[in-house]
Amino acid sequence: MTKQHGDLTALRREYCGSDFSHGDLSACPIAQFRLWFKQAQEGRSDDASSMTLATASASGMPSARIVLLKHYDVNGFCWYTDYESQKGRELAENPQAELMFYWYGLERQVRIQGAVHKLSLEQADQYFSQRPRESQVSAYASYQSQPISSREALKGAVAQSNQKYLNQDVLRPERWGGYCLLPDKMEFWQGREGRLHDRLVYQRNNQDWLIQRLQP
């Protein structure tokens, strides 16, 4: 058979992660995430908070993109964006999502599934006020996911916003705020040799968490 351009069947890598067993787990998945996140920060602090956010429309069409985790605790995992963006519209139609972290140097993934709700306006105001001014102006000027004629037009919108808020604080746009995913399921994946990866899953059961191993 003639190989086609883009054929990657011969491209392989071996995973060499260390043992990861039930005995290594914290009873709480948030505590386990905190441990792995700390180790990811120690390895590459500039990228540890990058996560894939997967949403789906009411019709079931999925979409995914990279966003940044801004804070988390037992109440959920939080990020900020434009409510009128594609992800915002999809979350309005179908308020369920999955987050996925991949930490290359550690050969680890964490998948987090659950229901999503908006954060309070007070939380959005607090975080928006902490952002660099350029990011504030960009959020005000850019209607995320909406078409625009050119980059020059976008720069013009930013310049107008800069002029509007000259010598004063930039106000948070009403269309901009935060979301929080409350996990019902969290999977911790550790790459291992010979494709025998470790997959340990927490499943919410009322106020407790059930833990089981999945086959790779």
Side-chain angles (χ1 to χ4, degrees), residues 169-202:
D169 292 338
V170 181
L171 298 179
R172 176 185 60 82
E174 291 184 4
R175 67 179 189 279
W176 191 96
Y179 289 95
C180 182
L181 184 149
L182 178 62
D184 289 319
K185 181 180 179 181
M186 293 182 63
E187 177 183 328
F188 292 80
W189 180 99
Q190 174 69 69
R192 298 293 304 281
E193 292 183 13
R195 198 190 164 278
L196 294 181
H197 312 308
D198 290 319
R199 297 178 62 188
L200 295 167
V201 177
Y202 295 79

Side-chain angles (χ1 to χ4, degrees), residues 122-136:
E122 290 76 17
Q123 287 173 290
D125 284 335
Q126 180 180 9
Y127 175 67
F128 190 81
S129 68
Q130 297 171 358
R131 303 186 87 199
R133 185 178 177 85
E134 288 184 352
S135 296
Q136 292 176 334

Side-chain angles (χ1 to χ4, degrees), residues 3-216:
K3 287 200 171 185
Q4 302 296 314
H5 292 296
D7 185 347
L8 305 178
T9 54
L11 182 63
R12 290 180 173 81
R13 62 166 297 190
E14 186 62 87
Y15 293 90
C16 302
S18 57
D19 292 354
F20 182 52
S21 66
H22 194 296
D24 298 320
L25 290 175
S26 168
C28 171
I30 308 302
Q32 183 63 41
F33 178 87
R34 184 176 295 113
L35 173 63
W36 273 24
F37 188 80
K38 181 176 182 294
Q39 292 171 347
Q41 282 185 302
E42 291 169 351
R44 187 169 178 177
S45 60
D46 62 332
D47 204 40
S49 64
S50 297
M51 60 185 185
T52 300
L53 166 63
T55 56
S57 65
S59 67
M61 177 60 71
S63 63
R65 74 290 289 160
I66 301 294
V67 298
L68 298 179
L69 178 68
K70 289 303 176 183
H71 47 92
Y72 71 95
D73 56 24
V74 294
N75 296 311
F77 293 77
C78 305
W79 66 95
Y80 294 83
T81 190
D82 191 318
Y83 294 146
E84 298 175 5
S85 64
Q86 181 180 355
K87 54 187 171 295
R89 296 194 304 270
E90 290 179 350
L91 287 170
E93 296 174 357
N94 179 8
Q96 302 177 90
E98 177 166 319
L99 304 173
M100 200 277 280
F101 294 84
Y102 177 56
W103 295 311
Y104 178 84
L106 297 174
E107 300 181 338
R108 289 174 175 174
Q109 297 180 57
V110 180
R111 296 173 58 194
I112 307 170
Q113 296 178 353
V116 178
H117 63 271
K118 287 182 178 179
L119 295 172
S120 69
L121 297 182
E122 290 76 17
Q123 287 173 290
D125 284 335
Q126 180 180 9
Y127 175 67
F128 190 81
S129 68
Q130 297 171 358
R131 303 186 87 199
R133 185 178 177 85
E134 288 184 352
S135 296
Q136 292 176 334
V137 172
S138 294
Y140 185 88
S142 172
Y143 289 74
Q144 194 175 105
S145 302
Q146 300 303 311
I148 194 166
S149 60
S150 65
R151 184 169 182 82
E152 287 68 30
L154 180 61
K155 289 181 177 179
V158 171
Q160 289 180 357
S161 297
N162 263 319
Q163 186 62 36
K164 176 181 175 67
Y165 286 105
L166 188 65
N167 298 323
Q168 58 180 306
D169 292 338
V170 181
L171 298 179
R172 176 185 60 82
E174 291 184 4
R175 67 179 189 279
W176 191 96
Y179 289 95
C180 182
L181 184 149
L182 178 62
D184 289 319
K185 181 180 179 181
M186 293 182 63
E187 177 183 328
F188 292 80
W189 180 99
Q190 174 69 69
R192 298 293 304 281
E193 292 183 13
R195 198 190 164 278
L196 294 181
H197 312 308
D198 290 319
R199 297 178 62 188
L200 295 167
V201 177
Y202 295 79
Q203 185 76 50
R204 190 183 293 275
N205 181 32
N206 296 319
Q207 301 302 313
D208 298 321
W209 292 94
L210 300 178
I211 303 174
Q212 61 180 177
R213 175 181 286 273
L214 300 182
Q215 298 180 60

